[in-house]
Amino acid sequence: MTEPLLSVRDLCVDYVTPQGPVRAVDRVSFDLQPGEILGLAGESGSGKSTLAQALLRILPPPAVIRGGEVRFEGRDLLSLEETELRRVRWSRISMVFQSAMDALNPVLKVGAQIVDTLQAHTDLGTDRARERAAELLEQVGIPRARLDAYAHQLSGGQRQRVGIALALALEPELVILDEPTTALDVIVEREILQEIRQLQRARRFAVLFITHDLTRMLQFSDRVAILYAGRLAEIGPASVLGSAPRHPYTQGLLRAFPSLHDAPGVVRTSIPGAPPSLASPPAGCRFAPRCAQAMPRCSTTGPALVDIGPGHRVDCRLLD
Amino acid sequence: MSGPLHAPRMGPIELLWDAVRSDRRALSGAIILAVFLAVAVFGPHIVGDATALVGIPLQPPSWEHWLGTNGQGQDVFAQLVVGTRVSLAIGFTVGLLVVLVGALVGVPAGYFGGKVDGALSGLANVFLVLPGLPLAIVIAAYLPSGPVTLGLVLVVTGWAWNARVLRSQALALRRRDFVAAARVSGESRLRILAVEVLPNMTSVIVAQVIGSTVYAIGAQVGLEFLGLGDVSAVTWGTNLYWAQNDSALLTGAWWTFAPTGLCVALVGFALTQLNAGFDEITNPRLRLERAWRTFLGDRGRGVERSTPVVRDHD
Amino acid sequence: MNYLLRRLFFYASAAWTAVTLNFFLPRLMPGDPATALFARFSGQMTPEALTAMREALGFTNEPLGRQYLTYLQHVLRGDLGISISKFPSPVVDVIGEGLRWTLFLAGTGVVLSFVIGSLLGVIAAWWRRGWVDQWLPSVFSFIGAFPYFWLAMFALWWFGFTLGWFPLGHAYADDTVPGWTLEFVADVLRHAALPLATVVLATLGGWLLTMRNAMITVLGSDHVNLARAKGLEPRSVMLRYAARNALLPSITGFGMALGYVLGGSLLTEVVFSYPGQGYLLVQAVRSQDYPLMQGIFLFITLAVLAANWLVDLATWWLDARTRESAS
C-alpha cells in the first residue's frame, strides 16, 4: 500500500467561548490516498467545516487546535512555521469554499484574484499570469472576457466555478471542497460536480468532499466518512456504506435520504431527536441518546473503534 | 416568551453594573465619574461663592489658592468645582434628550419602513449633513443666552446621529424571527414595538446615551467658550471663555485653562471607557474573542496568523 | 449615475433647508434684528442708509412670502448682502478673504488626519498583539476627549509661549509680504504648524477607531480567510483584501466627519486668531453683524455639502457595487 497523501491522527479542535471550551472535533483520524475522493458527511454543526479548515489552519478565532497530527507529504502541518505553511497552502492543498459570493473579494476584479495567487507562488510575470488565469477560467467553462468582471456581476454557478478555477490554479495534490454546491440549484449542482469529476480524472488530485447531502456524496466519492458531533462515526468504501452501513447513525441517515432507485412506497424515516450541544456533550457515546440500539454501557464507557473490513472502521460498541 | 431567540432581558442599570464589574475599563470609567458626581453634588457647598474676588489676578497656584487666581482675581479651584455641577447637569440632560428625540424619529423610521422611513430618514440625513457648529452658532446668536438656549441648540444639532443609529437597530430587529412570529400571532404593530423591539434595544440605547453625554459636554463647553452661553454664569466653558478673553495664554497663566480642560477630558474619557467596557459585554463577537485571547495569554501564547496549536498537556 | 443624481438631489434639499433656516431664524428671534441694529447705529447712520441696510437684510414691508422669494433670488445670484461690521464691503468679499485660510487649515487637517488615522487603524487591527491594540485606542480616546480648542490653547501656551518654537497667532507675520516666495511660504507653514497639529491630533482617534473596528469585522470574513488560504503574503492580505474593504465604512463616514472636523478647526482658528471662516464668524457674532454671520454660515454649509458630494463620488468609484445597485 502506498504512503497516504494525508494522514490525520487524533485531531482535536476546540472553540474557546466565555462559557468554556467547546470541542468541535474530537480525536478524528483518517487517511487519504493520492488521487482518492473521500467524502465527509454530517449534519450541520457536526464539525465538517471545522475539520476541513483545521487542516489548513485557517480557522478564525476563537478556534484552537488542541492536539493530534496532520501528516501531509511526510510533514506534520500542525508543527510548521508560518512561512512554511504559506508555501503549502494552495500550491499543495487548496480549498473551494461553500459560498463563493462571500469568499470572493467584492472590490477586486475576479481575474485579479486569480493572478495574485499565481504571482504569490510562482514567478510568473503579470501578462503570463493573466493568460494563465484566462486558461483556468476557460477550463471551468467561463469565457475569458469575465476576467474583468466583479464577483457580484456573475451568477452563483459562475462564482462557484471561479472558486474551482482558483483552487486548481497551482495544480495542488489535494483539493478540499467545502459544501461546494449547497447554495446552488440542482441542475447547476449536477453540472459542477460532473466538471469537478472530469477535472479530477484528468489531473488525478485527491479530493476531500464535504457535504450534508449523503446521496450526492455516495455517488461522487470513492470512500466516505460520517461525522457526528465532532467524532468520526464510520468510515469506509462508498459502495459498502451505501449498501450495508454498520453504525446506527449511518443507517439512520440512509433511511432518511431519498434515492432514485428506491422502490415506490418506501417510507423515509428521520432520526428522532437532535444533535447534542457540543458545549455540554452527553457522557459516553454522543449518539447514544438517539440510538435505537443503544446499550447501557454506551452511555458510560463510550464507543470503541472497530475495524470490520478493508478500510472500513466503525466507532460503535455494538460490534465489539 | 419566544425561547432561545431572546437574549436575557436585563434592564439598563443591571447591564451597566455588569459591565463595571467585569471590565477593567468600565470600572475605571465609573470610578472617575463617581468622583466628579460627588464634586458636582457636594462641591459648591464646601467651596462657597466662586465669583468672589479673593486676590490679585493671575496668581499661580499656591497653598492659599490651590489653582491660583484668574484674570478677574477669582479663585480658579472654586470656579472649577462650582462649574462642575452646571456642566455635568446640562451634559447629562442634553445627552438623554438627544437620544429621546433620536429615538422618536429613528425607531419608527426603522420599524415601520416605507414612506414613514423615507420622510424621517430624509429629515435626519439633512440634519446630519449640515455642519453642526456653524448651525449652533447661528441659532444661539439669535436667542437670549442661557442654559435653555444652549440645551435647545445642542439638541437640534445632535439628535440626527442617534436617529440614524437607532433606526438601523430597529430595522435589524424588525427582520428578526421573533418579531415575525409576533405579527403572525396577531399582535398589533405598536404593541410589538413596545414589548418586543424596544426592550431588545436597551444596550444600544444605553451606549447612545453615554456617547451623547460626551458630545453634549464637549459641545456645550465649545459654545460657551465662544461666548454663546451665559458669560456671567460659572461653568467649565465660561471659565475657558474668560481665560481666552483675559489673554491668559499670552501671559503664561496656564492654571486658568489647563485644569478645566483636563476635567472635561477626564469626564469624556471616563464615559467613553464605560461605553467600551459596556460594548465588550454586549457585543457577542467581542466577548467570544476575549475568552480566546485570555486562553492563549494564560499559556504564554500570542495572537498568531494561523489557527494556533495548543496541545492538551500544555 | 443614478446614485450620484440621487445624492445630488439630497444635497440640494439640504442646501435649501439651510437657506430657509437662514431666512426664518432672524424673524423668529424675540425682537427684530433690524430694530436692534437700528438702535445700535442710529447715532452714526443717516435714516436713508439705515433703510438701505434694512432692505439689504431683506426686512422690507412686503409680505413674508415675497421676502422669502427675494431672498432666494439673492442667494442664487451670489448676493449675500452687505456686512455691517465691515460696512460697506459685501459679505461675499469678506468671506473670500478668509476662505483660503480655512481651506488650507481644515482641508490639510482632514486629509492628514484621515490618512494617518486610517493607517494606524489598519496596523492596530492587523497587529493585535497585546499592547498595540490594548493601549493605542485608549490613548487616542483620551487625547480626543480634550476639547479641540483646549488642545489648541495648550499647544499655544506650551509650544508658542513657553518654548517659543512657534508664533502666537495669525496666518503670517505682520512684516512679511504675501506672495509665492519661499520666505512667505515658510512663514505660513510656521504659523500653520500648531493649528494644524491640533486639528490632526484631535480628530485622529476617530479615524483610527473606525478603521480598526471595520478591519476587525473584515478580518473575520470569508474572503480574507480565502486570501489567507491561498497563501498570499500577509501584507497583501492586509492591504488588498482586508483594508480595501474596511476602508468603505470610513469613506462613508467621511462626509459626516467633515462637518465635525470643520467645527473643530473653526474653534482652533479662534484660539490662534487664524483669519479663517471660523474666526470671522465669531467676530461677526460678537459684533452682531447678522448678514455676515448668515453669509458665512451659508457658505460653510454649502462647502460641506459639496465636499460630501465629492466623497460620494469617491465611494461610487471605489465600490463597484454602488454603481450596480442603483440600476
Side-chain angles (χ1 to χ4, degrees), chain A residues 53 56 58 60 86 89-90 95 97 99 102-108 112-113 116-117 120-121 150 152-153 166, chain C residues 220 222-226 228-234 236 240-242 244-245 248 318-321 323-324:
Chain A
Q53 294 188 20
L56 280 175
I58 54 169
R86 252 197 293 135
R89 283 186 186 137
W90 225 254
M95 193 154 163
F97 283 77
S99 172
D102 298 330
L104 290 175
N105 191 339
V107 296
L108 290 179
Q113 296 180 49
D116 66 22
T117 316
H121 287 269
Y150 287 94
H152 65 270
Q153 292 171 319
L166 257 174
Chain C
D222 277 345
H223 52 84
V224 169
N225 229 14
L226 175 60
R228 273 220 192 90
K230 291 200 291 187
L232 297 177
E233 229 188 55
S236 177
R240 285 179 91 221
Y241 283 77
R244 257 195 90 159
N245 277 284
L248 293 170
L318 269 177
D319 187 358
R321 288 170 290 184
R323 280 178 246 167
E324 312 284 318

Side-chain angles (χ1 to χ4, degrees), chain A residues 64-266:
Chain A
V64 178
I65 299 176
R66 296 290 274 144
E69 206 184 58
V70 176
R71 291 206 86 82
F72 179 75
E73 291 181 338
R75 290 187 300 178
D76 183 9
L77 297 181
L78 297 185
S79 58
L80 284 186
E81 281 289 313
E82 184 69 28
T83 33
E84 285 287 311
L85 205 50
R86 252 197 293 135
R87 266 187 244 133
V88 171
R89 283 186 186 137
W90 225 254
S91 62
R92 316 302 300 140
I93 308 179
S94 72
M95 193 154 163
V96 178
F97 283 77
Q98 181 171 342
S99 172
M101 178 79 234
D102 298 330
L104 290 175
N105 191 339
V107 296
L108 290 179
K109 289 183 189 160
V110 154
Q113 296 180 49
I114 304 180
V115 166
D116 66 22
T117 316
L118 291 170
Q119 292 190 304
H121 287 269
T122 65
D123 42 22
L124 281 175
T126 317
D127 291 332
R128 294 271 294 114
R130 244 184 99 84
E131 181 56 37
R132 178 103 184 88
E135 284 169 12
L136 286 164
L137 281 184
E138 281 168 348
Q139 265 166 21
V140 292
I142 296 183
R144 59 170 56 203
R146 300 315 254 156
L147 266 181
D148 290 323
Y150 287 94
H152 65 270
Q153 292 171 319
L154 302 174
S155 72
Q158 285 177 318
R159 278 184 247 130
Q160 207 61 13
R161 289 198 177 94
V162 171
I164 296 169
L166 257 174
L168 299 175
L170 299 167
E171 302 188 1
E173 289 296 322
L174 167 60
V175 178
I176 304 175
L177 301 173
D178 188 358
E179 308 235 28
T181 52
T182 305
L184 305 170
D185 65 67
V186 222
I187 299 178
V188 179
E189 183 184 6
R190 190 129 196 269
E191 282 175 7
I192 290 200
L193 285 178
Q194 275 177 346
E195 278 165 26
I196 296 177
R197 179 179 284 147
Q198 276 173 1
L199 289 163
Q200 195 268 345
R201 289 223 179 93
R203 311 277 191 81
R204 294 266 104 207
F205 48 83
V207 174
L208 182 61
F209 179 39
I210 300 170
T211 180
H212 61 264
D213 185 342
L214 191 64
T215 324
R216 273 271 176 262
M217 195 185 65
L218 287 170
Q219 290 167 345
F220 191 75
S221 323
D222 300 325
R223 285 170 71 228
V224 158
I226 310 290
L227 211 58
Y228 183 77
R231 282 190 65 86
L232 208 55
E234 186 166 9
I235 180 170
S239 50
V240 173
L241 259 73
S243 54
R246 303 303 295 276
H247 193 285
Y249 179 59
T250 323
Q251 293 166 350
L253 276 183
L254 276 174
R255 281 195 295 271
F257 272 85
S259 164
L260 280 174
H261 309 295
D262 279 342
V266 167

